[in-house]
Amino acid sequence: MQILTPHVYWAQRHGEIFLRVELSDATNVDIRLMEDNTLQFRAQGHGAKGDNQYEFSLEFLEPVKPEIHQKSTQRQVDIKIKKREERWWQRLTLREKKPVFLGPDFDRWLDESDAEMELQAKEKINKISVESRVRKDPYLGLKKGYLFMYNLVQFLGFSWIFVNMTVRLFILGQDSFYDTFHTAADMMYFCQMMAVLEVINPLLGLVKTKFFPAMIQVAGRNVILFVIFGSLEEMQNKAVVFFVFYLWSTIEIFRYPFYMLACIDTEWKLLTWLRYSLWIPLYPLGVVAEAVAVIQSLPIFDETRLFSIPLPSVLGRSLSFSYTLQLYLVLMFLGLFINFRHLYKQRRRRYRSRKKKVQ
């Protein structure tokens, strides 16, 4: 029996290859993918040269997955193969010269741009299908309203601090450094007590932010505000208070409005960029300013014995709180590394997803 080659027609999508073999009433169909990425086809059927044994082989341009889906009908054999990497091929075979028996399947043929549009349409349909199956949260509006109001209040509070300190800086110059605590502490107390909700919100599932990074930031700031500045009058007149408050408020007047607009599904590109970029210089500077405040407070705690831990008379009178703060200094820079890494991942994920949408 004469061995012949059937007519084969092909088309592609970003993730799949379609082959149509013109062979009717095919029997004993044997399709194999060899180790060298070559597809081998053999079958008995009625083709261009009548009833004969037909076979062909194709060495693909790029690797494909080993799973082969085939369907035989009275008129043809359809073969579907998935690409190992989802991307557009310039041709089907490794060799630039096209085999004589191979041609385009115009019933399935799409160019790259049309295939991308088809893929986007499928993804949109799948997204709508998934969203329709997911049960809508009946309290979603209430949650968004709460988050919007929380971020609005925090934005107004930190904006008041920032504007107050900026105006006083222009009017009084360096003299404003030394009375910052007395003019802005009440509002900062309010904002930082409100910030405790940022630790609670992830636990309640109200936001996607991770609990641990939020706890590090809120707890770290509250130690500086309530323990270092609030409990030591000697620290309240130091210039470091100005730099700590000013760096905190500068970060927050861009962070809170970003989250506020996100609650109403609105985005301002400049604000988004500031939210994901401004922390790069300001966050480490804020930690350095906090560290300076801790270092300046150490001799004061040694002298006043405030928050000292009583010890048995054999060991001495008490253990100074300054030792705890020295340990806290180490933890502070460990927290800087953890939060910096977390914020960097957020920024990379944000702009990587935006880049994919543009492409």
Side-chain angles (χ1 to χ4, degrees):
M1 184 179 294
Q2 186 180 7
I3 299 176
L4 301 171
T5 303
H7 293 299
V8 181
Y9 302 93
W10 79 285
Q12 69 168 316
R13 298 296 184 268
H14 284 83
E16 296 169 323
I17 293 293
F18 301 101
L19 298 175
R20 176 165 58 87
V21 184
E22 288 291 323
L23 196 62
S24 59
D25 298 323
T27 59
N28 300 324
V29 179
D30 182 21
I31 304 173
R32 300 180 183 180
L33 184 65
M34 311 307 289
E35 292 182 359
D36 61 351
N37 205 44
T38 298
L39 180 76
Q40 290 188 350
F41 174 93
R42 182 179 294 125
Q44 177 77 29
H46 186 84
K49 300 293 184 179
D51 287 324
N52 276 295
Q53 180 86 6
Y54 289 87
E55 62 181 52
F56 69 87
S57 62
L58 291 170
E59 185 176 3
F60 293 120
L61 177 65
E62 295 186 15
V64 296
K65 294 183 178 180
E67 298 85 6
I68 299 174
H69 302 275
Q70 66 99 5
K71 179 181 179 183
S72 299
T73 66
Q74 291 182 347
R75 297 179 55 190
Q76 63 197 34
V77 179
D78 294 316
I79 304 171
K80 183 172 73 172
I81 304 169
K82 291 188 176 182
K83 300 176 182 177
R84 188 160 293 176
E85 294 185 13
E86 292 192 6
R87 59 182 177 184
W88 197 257
W89 291 3
Q90 298 303 315
R91 59 181 186 275
L92 179 64
T93 59
L94 184 62
R95 293 183 179 181
E96 292 187 13
K97 187 177 180 180
K98 181 175 70 67
V100 177
F101 61 86
L102 184 66
D105 185 352
F106 290 109
D107 293 335
R108 287 181 174 269
W109 193 266
L110 291 177
D111 61 24
E112 185 175 3
S113 59
D114 291 336
E116 286 180 355
M117 292 176 64
E118 182 187 66
L119 183 63
Q120 290 172 2
K122 286 182 179 179
E123 289 177 349
K124 188 174 181 180
I125 292 171
N126 290 337
K127 183 179 179 182
I128 293 172
S129 177
V130 171
E131 289 177 351
S132 64
R133 291 197 300 268
V134 175
R135 185 179 178 184
K136 292 186 177 180
D137 187 353
Y139 302 105
L140 183 61
L142 185 63
K143 291 176 181 178
K144 285 190 173 183
Y146 154 71
L147 292 172
F148 181 88
M149 290 305 300
Y150 167 76
N151 287 294
L152 175 61
V153 170
Q154 289 289 73
F155 168 65
L156 293 176
F158 279 105
S159 295
W160 185 91
I161 295 170
F162 179 82
V163 172
N164 179 281
M165 294 177 65
T166 303
V167 171
R168 288 176 59 82
L169 178 63
F170 277 105
I171 295 174
L172 302 176
Q174 293 185 4
D175 292 339
S176 66
F177 290 176
Y178 305 103
D179 62 351
T180 297
F181 186 86
H182 301 289
T183 58
D186 290 340
M187 183 60 72
M188 188 62 79
Y189 280 143
F190 171 78
C191 290
Q192 283 306 123
M193 285 189 289
M194 286 280 291
V196 174
L197 293 174
E198 295 183 29
V199 180
I200 299 174
N201 289 339
L203 296 176
L204 298 178
L206 297 176
V207 294
K208 295 180 180 179
T209 306
K210 293 182 179 179
F211 165 77
F212 195 57
M215 186 196 68
I216 290 175
Q217 177 168 315
V218 173
R221 285 188 177 183
N222 284 347
V223 167
I224 300 299
L225 179 62
F226 291 98
V227 177
I228 304 298
F229 296 152
S231 64
L232 296 177
E233 292 185 8
E234 296 88 340
M235 289 296 300
Q236 295 172 6
N237 296 321
K238 292 186 178 293
V240 69
V241 179
F242 174 89
F243 294 103
V244 170
F245 281 15
Y246 205 71
L247 288 167
W248 287 358
S249 59
T250 303
I251 293 173
E252 305 302 13
I253 61 174
F254 296 107
R255 186 169 73 97
Y256 285 116
F258 169 79
Y259 288 131
M260 188 172 62
L261 293 179
C263 293
I264 55 175
D265 300 321
T266 303
E267 181 181 0
W268 183 22
K269 290 184 178 180
L270 177 60
L271 182 62
T272 301
W273 184 86
L274 290 170
R275 157 70 182 94
Y276 285 101
S277 303
L278 206 59
W279 62 267
I280 297 173
L282 294 184
Y283 186 62
L285 287 174
V287 173
V288 170
E290 293 171 20
V292 171
V294 172
I295 292 170
Q296 289 182 351
S297 71
L298 295 179
I300 301 175
F301 278 109
D302 284 335
E303 182 180 349
T304 61
R305 312 304 295 178
L306 185 64
F307 302 136
S308 294
I309 302 172
L311 296 175
S313 56
V314 178
L315 299 176
R317 291 186 305 165
S318 61
L319 181 65
S320 175
F321 185 66
S322 64
Y323 293 110
T324 305
L325 290 179
Q326 290 174 39
L327 176 62
Y328 174 72
L329 274 174
V330 177
L331 297 177
M332 181 187 297
F333 285 98
L334 178 61
L336 168 64
F337 171 76
I338 294 172
N339 262 7
F340 200 93
R341 187 167 172 264
H342 169 71
L343 292 169
Y344 173 74
K345 284 184 177 180
Q346 278 189 330
R347 188 181 195 279
R348 186 177 61 178
R349 185 165 55 245
R350 176 77 181 189
Y351 284 101
R352 183 171 56 190
S353 62
R354 286 172 63 88
K355 187 176 180 181
K356 285 183 180 179
K357 290 179 182 179
V358 171
Q359 292 176 345

